[in-house]
Amino acid sequence: MAESNRRGVPEATVGRLPGYLQALSTLAEQGRASISSEELAGLAGVRSAQVRKDLSRLGTYGVRGVGYDVARLAEQISAELGLSRDWPVVIVGMGNLGRALASYEGLATRGFHVVALADNDPAVVGSRVEGMTVQALGDLHRDGPVGVGVITTPPHAAQEVADVLVGLGVHSLLTFAPGVLEVPSDVDVRRVDLATELQILTFHQHQRAVAVSGSGVEEVS
């Protein structure tokens, strides 16, 4: 059985909602008023039955022969994801990845607003990135609520950064550093490990190669 969050929606469903929302946003920009579960499934890369099941968990059902109202469904998913407000984001680690995220326009269009940048490198602290001054990690202070902390530091520095962010009251962390962070039970951590994702891809590539190789072997009696 899929793990559920505090709202009772399975985490697997939550993981698919952003894909649905992205597809709906594109359709809305194109002036589309409605969409079928089959078409939405194709755009999101899942089965239509899965789309219907996921959306039913939100209390949303399509109309037979009409489908789903694009604008209304996008609004419902946005509300479920908590995107009816802007979430302040702090990025710690101003290497290439941190700078790329700070300049990524997609954050602002998806409900996130970068409010602070930090690093522990004296050569970086005080520099300007995307119009913001990079602060020292120890100088970060809570002028207002911070929704998400993003960690783009080397692995050895990630735990210290997590401790500082948690101390500032941050309950949601996104880390690109390999390894497991030790955080309180009320802090949610999502880890993005590019090497792991590449290894998963090479596993499937290897399996395809083995299958092709095996199919070409003739049995000798």
Side-chain angles (χ1 to χ4, degrees), residues 2 21 29 44 49 62 85-86 119 132 142 175 188 194:
L21 182 58
E29 292 173 358
R85 50 163 287 190
D86 283 339
D119 200 289
M132 289 178 285
R142 188 172 180 177
T175 177
D188 295 314
L194 299 181

Side-chain angles (χ1 to χ4, degrees), residues 128-145:
R128 301 279 290 180
V129 176
E130 294 299 313
M132 289 178 285
T133 300
V134 179
Q135 304 177 47
L137 178 62
D139 291 339
L140 277 177
H141 57 279
R142 188 172 180 177
D143 291 328

Side-chain angles (χ1 to χ4, degrees), residues 134-180:
V134 179
Q135 304 177 47
L137 178 62
D139 291 339
L140 277 177
H141 57 279
R142 188 172 180 177
D143 291 328
V146 175
V148 180
V150 180
I151 303 173
T152 57
T153 64
H156 69 270
Q159 185 62 56
E160 178 189 359
V161 173
D163 293 341
V164 170
L165 293 174
V166 170
L168 292 173
V170 178
H171 289 271
S172 298
L173 299 175
L174 175 65
T175 177
F176 289 83
V180 177

Side-chain angles (χ1 to χ4, degrees), residues 9 13 17 20 49-62 68 73:
V9 178
T13 295
L17 293 182
Y20 300 153
Q50 186 66 69
V51 169
R52 292 190 292 271
K53 184 176 181 180
D54 288 340
L55 298 183
S56 69
R57 293 185 183 277
L58 308 184
T60 300
Y61 302 89
Y68 297 90
L73 182 55

